[in-house]
Amino acid sequence: MKLNTSLSTMPAGYLFAEVAKRIKEYSASNPDAAILRLGIGDVTLPLVSAITDAFTIAVQEMGTPAGFRGYGPDFGYDFLIDAIIAGDYTARGVEINRDEVFISDGAKSDVGNLQELFAWDAKIAVTDPVYPVYVDSNAMAGRLGQYVDGKWTNLCYLPCNAENGFVPALPKEKVDVIYLCYPNNPTGTVLTRDQLKPFVDYALENDALIIYDAAYKAFITEKDVPLSIYELPGAKKCAIECCSFSKTAGFTGTRCAYTVVPKELEYDGVSLNRIWGRRQATKFNGVSYPVQRAAAAVYTEEGQKQIQESIAYYLENARIIREGLVKAGVQVFGGVNAPYIWMKTPDDMKSWDFFDLLLKKAHVVGTPGEGFGPSGEGYFRLTAFNTKENTQAAVERIVQIL
Amino acid sequence: MKLNTSLSTMPAGYLFAEVAKRIKEYSASNPDAAILRLGIGDVTLPLVSAITDAFTIAVQEMGTPAGFRGYGPDFGYDFLIDAIIAGDYTARGVEINRDEVFISDGAKSDVGNLQELFAWDAKIAVTDPVYPVYVDSNAMAGRLGQYVDGKWTNLCYLPCNAENGFVPALPKEKVDVIYLCYPNNPTGTVLTRDQLKPFVDYALENDALIIYDAAYKAFITEKDVPLSIYELPGAKKCAIECCSFSKTAGFTGTRCAYTVVPKELEYDGVSLNRIWGRRQATKFNGVSYPVQRAAAAVYTEEGQKQIQESIAYYLENARIIREGLVKAGVQVFGGVNAPYIWMKTPDDMKSWDFFDLLLKKAHVVGTPGEGFGPSGEGYFRLTAFNTKENTQAAVERIVQIL
């Protein structure tokens, strides 16, 4: 059987598997250590009642002859699509049509699958550090060349670091696709409208595509930061936008997301909306009906009020981390429009060494920056997804060992 | 932007979109026609109470600090995996380990994604007629050549028809992968253990892989028909098995499935279990926790009792269709171990012509065999997924126009 060798030779292990392994090993020999986790970007607050109420009603419906639903529309129910358009776009002056929104089980699935739209030799650019899925999904398709010394030979890296204020430069070469994630995972930094505009202009001029991952948009607090790339003129001609309920409404374990593929998006006369629809209709069978009802409840008045409280809670944690570290003299980024804080390691320590130090001396878990790409070396990610008490305790412990 | 031209040039339309379009057009000009649908293979009975009860409890858990769950294990919760192994394998004498079962949102996703394991030039074989996802997912990856006169130039078709009793011959050429779906969609026919064995032997001898789609296994009534390909010696070394709760327990709108990738499955020293795990961990984020609890309830005593009643209901419908048509002199296949009945069209009528005739004269919808592949021409699929009353009425109407 002829194997996909691009997949079979992938470098081992997803970042968080290694993190989990080191925690497990340490815990096994130190069972009394009370470890505080600011590592994986996973929400901790329960689903709000507006959501569980709608979810429960839909489950009950499924148990009745009149309310039962079998296969739903491949691209999602109109009740959810309409709620998304009204709540996330029309309210902000962006016009999106029903057949431009594709409901899915997660932004990870969508950003992983979108590369199926590209030729095997399309040239890809990513910001660095980066959410690993953009890179790995393209590598598995054989698009990135070889993995040598922690870098893919045929991937265009756009470094983001303290020196450039985490505003990536435009690609120096012509690329076909640029992945942008803002607010950014892992750095928690953002691009203002003015800083994003050059990327839209580049894409329009170079017939390139932007995959815009806006999974963390619910955390945006500053007015000059766009909530959608489509706020920028011309973006509908060059960008796909991926959004998720995971961080917006605590859906990491409930699973629902959506991706916008505008009808205006055409390359060589081919509509990406049409071919993404073809892909989804062939390899995906829609999202669970009760889950879609739960997601629609996010946009009710009560739902909005409740999820905003959760987001405020996480943002307060981010503030505690940011200010605690700044006070201790640490160079810190992000955490204002995002649940992630990106810190410089002390004395330019290697990020995995700092991980081990923090685990062993402070019993605090974060994520080593190097796991997100070469430019992540020397940085470390902390997340706001824990209780306020644990967050405060973790910051105190970190500060003590610095 | 360099496009995946294998995707962008895919022949338009998924079969059921065309079916839906013709119904819509006819209904628009004949609003009084009471159309009976035996077309799409979608369940109609509500979720049973054992399932909605477990589903509801899990939704409520998600609303409490103690019960909330964020990201679950990428490959599914042990409580569900263990229930599957005990209920579907151990009970039948097949040994499967926890890390060989991958929970997903649907068998359609899995059978669509599994081709990512293969090289771009792997040679594929399918039975014909066939569930379109096997073919389309490989075509989109550029593996099947050109689509000429309704056939892919680089796909090995294994015809199944009245002449060979719907038992496909082995491939005459060396192929890398064979997709088998038993009980079969669309024909409703099965292979006995003895009839399946040559395929396992072929795969072992030729270092080939079988993708065994067992989505309809819950409908098997005859003892010599295997419930799992792993009942056959050697199959763990050459087969992946895809199963689903969609038809077993009415989950088409709830979404949950699982795929078994045995550890023994190796090609060129590469473990398919490992690389499928790498694929899933990268591009998939697990199934909704409440949905997994709902699926686990399928294996409780009450759950088993209740879903068996639903399956018996559908099988009774299949009997009504089969016997009604046989009595009218129609040549009929399937419907004994499957919810599908595959009939020969009268007077060798083209299957789309018969579709139109049935729609317009009998107000009954089925699915034209030609939509499932070249060997489906001259056949027509009817499904048992309707009420008993509608099924009886539909058969009476069909018989009248023959």
Side-chain angles (χ1 to χ4, degrees), chain A residues 161-384:
Chain A
N161 48 42
E163 288 67 42
N164 63 18
F166 293 89
V167 179
L170 292 172
K172 288 191 183 65
E173 58 195 312
K174 188 186 166 340
V175 301
D176 294 295
V177 183
I178 306 173
Y179 286 82
L180 296 176
C181 173
Y182 288 102
N184 187 253
N185 176 12
T187 67
T189 62
V190 292
L191 294 185
T192 63
R193 272 177 209 89
D194 289 348
Q195 289 166 335
L196 181 56
K197 185 174 180 301
F199 284 90
V200 173
D201 293 343
Y202 172 95
L204 291 171
E205 278 159 29
N206 290 278
D207 206 29
L209 172 70
I210 295 171
I211 305 283
Y212 195 74
D213 182 348
Y216 296 92
K217 67 180 180 183
F219 294 88
I220 293 173
T221 59
E222 296 181 314
K223 285 215 179 336
D224 56 347
V225 178
L227 289 155
S228 162
I229 194 169
Y230 302 125
E231 293 179 25
L232 281 86
K236 278 196 204 169
K237 289 188 193 302
C238 66
I240 288 174
E241 181 163 282
C242 300
C243 305
S244 170
F245 296 100
S246 283
K247 307 301 156 67
T248 300
F251 269 51
T252 53
T254 299
R255 313 304 311 139
C256 197
Y258 65 91
T259 283
V260 179
V261 187
K263 290 255 181 180
E264 292 158 62
L265 209 50
E266 283 200 1
Y267 296 87
D268 301 330
V270 172
S271 159
L272 292 199
N273 180 283
R274 177 180 70 77
I275 65 174
W276 179 246
R278 186 73 169 88
R279 188 272 171 213
Q280 289 295 86
T282 301
K283 301 196 202 176
F284 182 63
N285 231 337
V287 172
S288 184
Y289 167 70
V291 171
Q292 291 193 61
R293 282 288 181 198
V298 168
Y299 296 98
T300 60
E301 200 183 321
E302 191 61 19
Q304 279 295 305
K305 193 175 145 274
Q306 293 175 343
I307 66 160
Q308 290 307 330
E309 284 169 18
S310 300
I311 288 165
Y313 185 90
Y314 295 131
L315 281 172
E316 169 65 5
N317 287 349
R319 190 194 60 76
I320 290 166
I321 301 172
R322 209 178 61 242
E323 294 186 357
L325 294 177
V326 165
K327 216 161 148 186
V330 179
Q331 227 188 331
V332 168
F333 308 92
V336 176
N337 299 289
Y340 295 132
I341 287 88
W342 190 244
M343 65 177 283
K344 197 91 194 67
T345 58
D347 308 320
D348 287 322
M349 194 182 249
K350 294 272 180 193
S351 63
W352 277 108
D353 291 343
F354 187 65
F355 174 89
D356 288 333
L357 177 79
L358 218 56
L359 174 61
K360 288 168 191 173
K361 299 293 175 196
H363 298 167
V364 171
V365 171
T367 312
E370 189 263 350
F372 297 102
S375 296
E377 187 53 286
Y379 293 90
F380 198 77
R381 191 186 78 171
L382 295 167
T383 84

Side-chain angles (χ1 to χ4, degrees), chain B residues 37-45 186 188 216 219 247 310-322 334-342 365-366 381-392 394-395:
Chain B
R37 292 163 193 255
L38 307 184
I40 292 179
D42 192 2
V43 295
T44 44
L45 294 174
Y216 296 92
F219 294 88
K247 307 300 157 65
S310 300
I311 288 166
Y313 184 90
Y314 295 131
L315 282 172
E316 169 65 6
N317 287 349
R319 189 195 59 77
I320 289 166
I321 300 171
R322 208 178 62 242
V336 176
N337 300 289
Y340 296 132
I341 287 88
W342 190 245
V365 172
R381 191 187 77 171
L382 295 166
T383 84
F385 295 123
N386 208 319
T387 62
K388 185 174 178 179
E389 296 67 33
N390 283 345
T391 304
Q392 284 170 325
V395 172

Side-chain angles (χ1 to χ4, degrees), chain B residues 55-326:
Chain B
F55 204 167
T56 302
I57 290 168
V59 169
Q60 295 301 315
E61 270 186 81
M62 293 291 271
T64 65
F68 178 74
R69 313 241 187 161
Y71 291 121
D74 285 327
F75 311 145
Y77 280 101
D78 284 345
F79 66 75
L80 177 54
I81 293 174
D82 290 347
I84 288 167
I85 291 173
D88 286 358
Y89 292 102
T90 314
R92 295 161 190 174
V94 175
E95 196 185 322
I96 296 290
N97 298 311
R98 243 188 208 174
D99 53 4
E100 295 177 313
V101 179
F102 295 82
I103 308 297
S104 83
D105 66 308
K108 186 178 177 188
S109 305
D110 287 347
V111 296
N113 294 333
L114 279 166
Q115 47 78 31
E116 295 177 27
L117 300 174
F118 320 148
W120 72 270
D121 60 345
K123 181 79 184 186
I124 310 295
V126 295
T127 56
D128 170 32
V130 70
Y131 177 51
V133 175
Y134 316 147
V135 177
D136 287 7
S137 61
N138 278 288
M140 289 174 181
R143 221 168 263 126
L144 303 190
Q146 305 301 313
Y147 192 66
V148 181
D149 298 334
K151 286 186 98 162
W152 291 94
T153 53
N154 195 31
L155 176 61
C156 174
Y157 291 87
L158 307 174
C160 297
N161 48 42
E163 288 67 42
N164 63 18
F166 293 89
V167 179
L170 292 173
K172 288 191 183 67
E173 57 195 313
K174 187 185 165 345
V175 302
D176 295 295
V177 183
I178 306 173
Y179 286 83
L180 296 177
C181 172
Y182 288 100
N184 188 254
N185 176 12
T187 66
T189 61
V190 292
L191 295 185
T192 63
R193 273 178 208 87
D194 290 347
Q195 289 166 335
L196 181 56
K197 185 173 180 299
F199 284 91
V200 173
D201 293 342
Y202 172 95
L204 291 171
E205 277 158 31
N206 290 278
D207 205 30
L209 171 71
I210 295 171
I211 304 282
Y212 195 75
D213 183 348
Y216 296 92
K217 68 181 179 183
F219 294 88
I220 292 173
T221 59
E222 295 181 314
K223 287 216 181 331
D224 55 348
V225 178
L227 289 154
S228 163
I229 193 169
Y230 303 123
E231 293 179 24
L232 281 87
K236 278 196 203 168
K237 290 188 193 303
C238 67
I240 289 174
E241 182 163 283
C242 300
C243 304
S244 170
F245 296 99
S246 283
K247 307 300 157 65
T248 300
F251 269 52
T252 52
T254 299
R255 314 305 309 138
C256 197
Y258 65 91
T259 282
V260 179
V261 187
K263 291 252 181 183
E264 292 159 61
L265 209 49
E266 283 199 2
Y267 297 87
D268 301 330
V270 173
S271 159
L272 292 199
N273 180 284
R274 178 180 70 77
I275 65 173
W276 180 244
R278 186 73 168 88
R279 189 272 170 215
Q280 288 296 86
T282 301
K283 300 196 202 176
F284 182 64
N285 231 336
V287 172
S288 185
Y289 167 70
V291 171
Q292 291 191 61
R293 282 288 180 198
V298 167
Y299 296 97
T300 60
E301 200 183 321
E302 191 62 18
Q304 279 295 307
K305 193 174 145 274
Q306 293 176 343
I307 66 160
Q308 290 307 332
E309 285 169 18
S310 300
I311 288 166
Y313 184 90
Y314 295 131
L315 282 172
E316 169 65 6
N317 287 349
R319 189 195 59 77
I320 289 166
I321 300 171
R322 208 178 62 242
E323 295 187 357
L325 294 177
V326 166

